[in-house]
Amino acid sequence: MSASIVDAKIPKPTPPAGNVQVKYADGTTDKWTTKGIATEPKVAADGTVGWYVCAADAKGKLELEEDGTPTPVALAVCRAGKILATIKDLTNPTGWGFDPDGVHVMVYEGAKHGPGWVRRFEIKGGKETDQFSFADVEDASKCPVWAKPFFEQ
């Protein structure tokens, strides 16, 4: 199973923004979004799919950062086409991923330069369970296991 952006309103080289399309092992596809404001879709080992939801005006026009990239304002997490969580109140998210534990997603937030922090949320419901700041951390050995993938961001 894979997920990609189709009907892109913002093409490459920036992260494309458009609709999320899921391709199943048998080659069939389904479009999981229709507003054209999604970016950076990812698929977990169990088939859970997530993506950033980007800021848009009332007419659906994407709001862009100064560098032309879409502005993520939430993370949607779905399985089998059903929304499990919409994680809001993100602060300058610059990366995200599924925790290998199959229960959580992590979102890296912060300034584009300098140390940031990573927050961990439950896939079902979106409750925040952990947060870790990379300020004053010199090597990954001082990070919790779940935060290590974001140490070098």
Side-chain angles (χ1 to χ4, degrees):
M1 186 169 159
S2 64
S4 61
I5 295 295
V6 296
D7 309 326
K9 290 182 178 182
I10 303 290
K12 293 181 180 181
T14 64
N19 289 309
V20 174
Q21 180 171 282
V22 173
K23 184 175 183 179
Y24 303 100
D26 67 1
T28 60
T29 60
D30 278 324
K31 199 180 289 185
W32 282 17
T33 65
T34 58
K35 294 181 180 179
I37 58 172
T39 191
E40 297 185 46
K42 297 181 183 183
V43 181
D46 68 355
T48 301
V49 179
W51 59 86
Y52 282 133
V53 177
C54 299
D57 66 17
K59 294 180 181 179
K61 182 179 178 191
L62 285 165
E63 296 176 13
L64 304 176
E65 300 287 340
E66 289 179 9
D67 63 2
T69 59
T71 306
V73 294
L75 180 70
V77 183
C78 301
R79 186 178 299 131
K82 296 190 186 329
I83 296 174
L84 300 176
T86 301
I87 299 164
K88 298 179 181 179
D89 300 321
L90 302 178
T91 305
N92 299 320
T94 59
W96 78 276
F98 288 103
D99 191 320
D101 72 1
V103 179
H104 297 93
V105 293
M106 292 101 46
V107 177
Y108 182 85
E109 300 173 294
K112 292 187 183 209
H113 304 287
W117 58 94
V118 63
R119 295 165 63 193
R120 191 177 189 211
F121 301 89
E122 292 176 349
I123 287 173
K124 291 183 181 174
K127 178 183 175 188
E128 185 173 351
T129 60
D130 293 293
Q131 187 176 104
F132 182 78
S133 172
F134 291 105
D136 303 318
V137 175
E138 296 179 16
D139 65 75
S141 68
K142 300 201 183 340
C143 301
V145 171
W146 60 268
K148 286 182 182 182
F150 296 95
F151 177 71
E152 294 294 328
Q153 273 198 300

